[in-house]
Amino acid sequence: MSEVLNQETAFSIDSVPEPKDIENVIFSLMVNPNLSSINYFNDFSEVPISPDAIGAGDNDEIGLFDLDSNGSALAMSTHAFHHHLQNNPQKATEILISRATRKMLCMGVKPVAISAFLYHINFADPNGQNVASGAKKGLENAAQKFNLKISDRKIRFDHFSGHGPVPATIIISMIGTVENRETITTHALKKKGSNIFLIGHSVDDIGSSEYLEFYHGIADSPLPAFNINNEIQIHKALKELHQLNLLQSASPIGKGGLFFTLLRAAIPNGLGFDITTAAETRLDSFLFGEAMGRICVEIESDKEDEFVDIMSEQNIPFFTLGHVTKGEIRIDDESLGYIDKMTSGL
């Protein structure tokens, strides 16, 4: 455990060279299975898997279950995390639950309950007990902060006495409620010309990112930047934005960072995006970092002033990214081609 801690402490973003060719980074990461558009099965009977069928999915990881004919529904999602669970289980668990909560709130779903499962720990070993204890604290703290109910068994775990190099993993399932399915806000970009904003702090952080691990080959790095109190502020703002019907689409920054979050949002309707990056933030960090507490939102032009007023009133940082295009993808005035180029062969 101390070796992992020393590696985390020693890591510095300055030790990672900034790439000169962003397009090369993007197309290198496109072959990463975790970032491919084909990263889940829509239909197990479909062989081979159809990119068209998967790309058309509009709910992005959250399952919706109709309860009645009035539009009431349940939402459910499952998420897993293993980064630094051995040496910082509380923070790792809080990050995982924050991700799941933010995802549901982006859709306009009310998260209500959570259950957790620890996989590949040896409870007879002191380190296994530390992982279980820290994960339990993280679960309880995040549930209290986000007003979630926890299953009465708290965290269940399986016992492995000799699992070898397999890392300990925590898996959570979250359930939310939907009053009217027609009001769901999906992640998919909706309309050419709409404005795109980034809500939350932009920081120079690439810790535990797909970019750092897959492109640079660095597996040992700190957990992504995270502040649970910032999450609470953003959750509050999201709820108000939904109540005022200001969001056309909303996506939490997830795997692959901002760029791949936007790409996943662009695919369903064959749209693109034209964005400008922040000069004060490293380009690779801005595009591919996976720091917590950030959301991409799509706002119609005639609702922009109201959106800006709400963000300013709640003192929440936001950044004007750009706008939705008919299909072209542009970063800092440089064209990377069109959305069909980005998804061909996936």
Side-chain angles (χ1 to χ4, degrees), residues 180-199:
N180 186 348
R181 188 165 178 160
E182 296 300 316
T183 64
I184 286 291
T185 301
T186 69
H187 75 295
L189 298 177
K190 303 297 190 303
K191 183 179 178 182
K192 175 183 175 292
S194 294
N195 296 313
I196 306 173
F197 293 90
L198 176 65
I199 299 175

Side-chain angles (χ1 to χ4, degrees), residues 64-75 176-184:
L64 295 173
F65 307 87
D66 292 325
L67 293 179
D68 53 41
S69 59
N70 297 322
S72 298
L74 280 179
T177 58
V178 182
E179 290 186 8
N180 186 348
R181 188 165 178 160
E182 296 300 316
T183 64
I184 286 291

Side-chain angles (χ1 to χ4, degrees), residues 12-75:
S12 169
I13 190 173
D14 295 329
S15 66
V16 179
E18 290 191 63
K20 297 180 180 179
D21 186 350
I22 289 298
E23 186 171 6
N24 177 62
V25 176
I26 289 169
F27 284 98
S28 296
L29 289 174
M30 291 286 278
V31 301
N32 180 346
N34 289 334
L35 301 179
S36 167
S37 62
I38 305 176
N39 61 4
Y40 56 91
F41 295 99
N42 275 4
D43 184 350
F44 282 100
S45 67
E46 188 176 353
V47 180
I49 304 168
S50 166
D52 293 334
I54 291 177
D58 213 27
N59 288 333
D60 191 30
E61 299 180 2
I62 294 180
L64 295 173
F65 307 87
D66 292 325
L67 293 179
D68 53 41
S69 59
N70 297 322
S72 298
L74 280 179

Side-chain angles (χ1 to χ4, degrees), residues 63-127:
L64 295 173
F65 307 87
D66 292 325
L67 293 179
D68 53 41
S69 59
N70 297 322
S72 298
L74 280 179
M76 188 181 76
S77 64
T78 302
H79 301 260
F81 200 58
H82 70 271
H83 285 294
H84 296 291
L85 194 64
Q86 292 280 3
N87 63 296
N88 201 338
Q90 178 172 342
K91 184 177 179 181
T93 302
E94 289 174 356
I95 284 176
L96 180 61
I97 296 171
S98 295
R99 281 179 172 172
T101 304
R102 195 182 330 118
K103 188 82 169 179
M104 284 201 172
L105 289 172
C106 278
M107 290 183 66
V109 174
K110 179 183 178 182
V112 295
I114 188 170
S115 66
F117 182 71
L118 271 174
Y119 197 61
H120 283 299
I121 68 165
N122 182 1
F123 200 76
D125 182 86
N127 189 46

Side-chain angles (χ1 to χ4, degrees), residues 11-12 14 19 56 67 81 154 186 197 200 209 248 270-271 280 283 326 335 339:
F11 176 83
S12 169
D14 295 329
L67 293 179
F81 200 58
K154 292 292 175 73
T186 69
F197 293 90
S209 64
Q248 282 192 292
L271 295 169
E280 64 274 13
L283 185 59
K326 192 174 181 179
S335 177
I339 190 67

Side-chain angles (χ1 to χ4, degrees), residues 328-343:
E328 186 178 15
I329 295 175
R330 298 180 64 86
I331 299 175
D332 293 335
D333 294 327
E334 180 180 346
S335 177
L336 299 179
Y338 289 78
I339 190 67
D340 55 351
K341 175 186 175 184
M342 290 289 177
T343 56

Side-chain angles (χ1 to χ4, degrees), residues 90-263:
Q90 178 172 342
K91 184 177 179 181
T93 302
E94 289 174 356
I95 284 176
L96 180 61
I97 296 171
S98 295
R99 281 179 172 172
T101 304
R102 195 182 330 118
K103 188 82 169 179
M104 284 201 172
L105 289 172
C106 278
M107 290 183 66
V109 174
K110 179 183 178 182
V112 295
I114 188 170
S115 66
F117 182 71
L118 271 174
Y119 197 61
H120 283 299
I121 68 165
N122 182 1
F123 200 76
D125 182 86
N127 189 46
Q129 296 174 26
N130 290 335
V131 170
S133 175
K136 178 176 177 289
K137 290 177 182 177
L139 173 66
E140 292 172 338
N141 187 49
Q144 187 272 327
K145 293 280 188 180
F146 303 145
N147 196 28
L148 299 169
K149 294 182 179 179
I150 309 174
S151 60
D152 58 356
R153 292 291 300 277
K154 292 292 175 73
I155 293 183
R156 295 176 296 117
F157 65 91
D158 64 352
H159 177 88
F160 277 75
S161 59
H163 55 70
V166 179
T169 300
I170 185 165
I171 303 170
I172 63 149
S173 293
M174 182 174 288
I175 294 178
T177 58
V178 182
E179 290 186 8
N180 186 348
R181 188 165 178 160
E182 296 300 316
T183 64
I184 286 291
T185 301
T186 69
H187 75 295
L189 298 177
K190 303 297 190 303
K191 183 179 178 182
K192 175 183 175 292
S194 294
N195 296 313
I196 306 173
F197 293 90
L198 176 65
I199 299 175
H201 294 272
S202 290
V203 294
D204 274 331
D205 180 84
I206 53 176
S208 296
S209 64
E210 294 289 334
Y211 160 71
L212 186 62
E213 184 166 352
F214 192 85
Y215 185 77
H216 288 286
I218 300 174
D220 294 312
S221 63
L223 286 164
F226 170 69
N227 184 305
I228 200 165
N229 293 320
N230 290 344
E231 294 278 351
I232 294 171
Q233 279 188 299
I234 289 173
H235 293 180
K236 180 181 177 183
L238 265 176
K239 292 173 184 177
E240 186 169 355
L241 292 171
H242 278 296
Q243 289 170 357
L244 296 173
N245 195 29
L246 295 182
L247 300 176
Q248 282 192 292
S249 67
S251 301
I253 304 301
K255 282 184 178 292
L258 171 66
F259 178 82
F260 281 91
T261 296
L262 284 172
L263 187 63

